[in-house]
Each structure stands twice: as structure tokens, then as C-alpha cells.
Amino acid sequence: MRVRKNPAERRQEFMDRAMELFCSKGYEQTMVQDICKAVGVAKGTFFYYFPAKEDVLKAILGQWIKEFEGDFLQRAKGRTAVQKLRLFLHMSAQEAIIEPLVDKLMEERQWELVRNLWQMVLEQSFNPLLLQIFTQGNQEGTMQVEHERECLDFFWGIMDAAWPMEQQAAIEDASIDIREAMAAGLIEKLLGMPAGSLAYFEDTV
């Protein structure tokens, strides 16, 4: 007897199996039919949930975005803007559940795809969170951010310089400490914060 699963459960199953295959076989080598075989359904069922293979990849990332944001907002309750920014930097620097997937994409030199996914993270979650922090910092007097949208571009420019996408695997631990200290100083100047406000990218509360 065929077991029918509800749409949400089936969609999640596609995402879970796709994640496993993308990390093991690689994104390029994984075909839609491979995902369907792992799920145990006909190929046409996949397209009921996702228009293309890239869409299941975006869904996996979207799920992580929601989990990250929910966790951040819960932990950020009652904190100052500076504390929230420290927390954001700390959390965004931690190893994420999707990191093996991103590593595999970079191993395959899927630079354009990784950049598109990163833009999705910025637009859907990271930038709105940072804008809220900037606004709170201005209100509290701990930041002086006049051009918030432009500051976002320079903020990520600093972060990209600190951890260049194509070189991350080769950066040594000693260099990470140096890069964090340099990035912290530049971000403080960019956001008009007192020197030492971001001495460490840590959740210190």
C-alpha cells in the first residue's frame, strides 16, 4: 500500500535528501532523478514542489536563514545595539549546518551560485537585522550611522576583505585573530562607535 505524506513532510524530505546528495556527490553531479530515487518517488513529483534543482538548494538555504534569524532574535532580546552587533558577528562566524554544502559548492568552483545564495542571505535576513541594530545604536547614542544603506555595503566589504571567499580554507588560525581585530577597528570607525566596542567578535552577555 502506497503511503501518502503531507506536502510539508514530502517537501522537507526532498530538501533533506538533496542536502545529503549535494554534500556527498556534489551539486553539479547530483541530478533531479538522484534526489527522487533517494526519496523513493517518481521524477515528476519533484517538480510539483520545486521548479528546478537550484530551487531546492535555495529552499535549504531559506530554512537555515529562518533558523538563524529566530535564534538571533531570541538571544538578542533586551540587549543594547552594541551587544546585538557583537552577538550577530559571533553567530555569523560560527560553523553553520549548511557549511558543508557551501564548502562543496566552493570546491566545485560554483562561485556565481555561491554569490547568488549569499545575496539571498543578505536580502532576506542579515541586512534587515543589521539595519535594526544601526537604528537602535543611533537611538542609544552608541553609533553614529548617517547613511545606513551605504554603510551596509562597506560593512560587507570589510567582512569580505577579512575572509575572502576563495581563500577561506587557506587562512591560518593566527591570521584569523589578526583579521578579526582589523575588521573590528574598521567597523567601529564605519559605524561611529567608540574604539574597543568590538574588541572581540564574542557574545559577552
Side-chain angles (χ1 to χ4, degrees):
M1 179 179 177
R2 185 179 178 184
V3 178
R4 290 184 175 273
K5 296 186 178 180
N6 67 60
E9 186 178 356
R10 179 65 78 192
R11 188 173 189 274
Q12 185 64 51
E13 191 174 14
F14 273 120
M15 292 164 59
D16 291 343
R17 299 294 82 77
M19 174 74 167
E20 292 169 1
L21 288 167
F22 292 158
C23 290
S24 59
K25 292 183 63 173
Y27 177 77
E28 190 68 29
Q29 295 301 316
T30 298
M31 303 293 111
V32 169
Q33 63 189 26
D34 297 326
I35 300 172
C36 293
K37 182 178 180 180
V39 174
V41 298
K43 186 175 180 179
T45 307
F46 177 91
F47 296 106
Y48 176 80
Y49 294 93
F50 305 100
K53 184 173 71 170
E54 187 172 330
D55 292 290
V56 72
L57 182 63
K58 290 178 179 178
I60 292 168
L61 187 68
Q63 184 176 63
W64 175 78
I65 289 172
K66 289 181 180 179
E67 291 172 355
F68 176 94
E69 186 168 341
D71 187 22
F72 173 80
L73 292 174
Q74 180 63 35
R75 295 172 63 180
K77 287 181 179 178
R79 301 193 182 200
T80 67
V82 173
Q83 290 169 342
K84 286 180 180 179
L85 182 55
R86 274 204 195 124
L87 176 62
F88 177 87
L89 291 167
H90 173 73
M91 289 180 61
S92 59
Q94 298 305 296
E95 184 172 351
I97 194 170
I98 62 163
E99 195 161 319
L101 173 58
V102 176
D103 288 344
K104 195 68 175 180
L105 291 171
M106 293 175 67
E107 181 183 313
E108 295 180 309
R109 307 183 73 83
Q110 297 273 359
W111 307 128
E112 188 63 27
L113 181 55
V114 171
R115 288 189 181 93
N116 290 340
L117 294 174
W118 176 239
Q119 194 60 36
M120 176 180 163
V121 172
L122 295 184
E123 293 176 358
Q124 292 189 13
S125 181
F126 282 10
N127 282 350
L129 290 175
L130 285 170
L131 286 173
Q132 292 174 18
I133 292 172
F134 295 169
T135 298
Q136 182 180 346
N138 284 343
Q139 293 171 346
E140 293 172 348
T142 55
M143 299 179 186
Q144 297 178 31
V145 183
E146 294 184 12
H147 307 288
E148 295 180 343
R149 293 288 176 180
E150 290 76 8
C151 273
L152 282 175
D153 290 339
F154 280 87
F155 176 91
W156 291 117
I158 293 169
M159 300 300 283
D160 288 343
W163 294 281
M165 182 185 299
E166 293 86 352
Q167 301 175 33
Q168 287 183 8
I171 298 175
E172 298 179 352
D173 290 344
S175 180
I176 289 176
D177 293 337
I178 295 171
R179 289 167 179 271
E180 285 189 354
M182 293 176 71
L186 291 170
I187 291 171
E188 288 167 355
K189 291 179 180 179
L190 175 68
L191 304 183
M193 302 170 67
S197 298
L198 300 174
Y200 302 96
F201 288 176
E202 294 180 345
D203 172 15
T204 57
V205 178

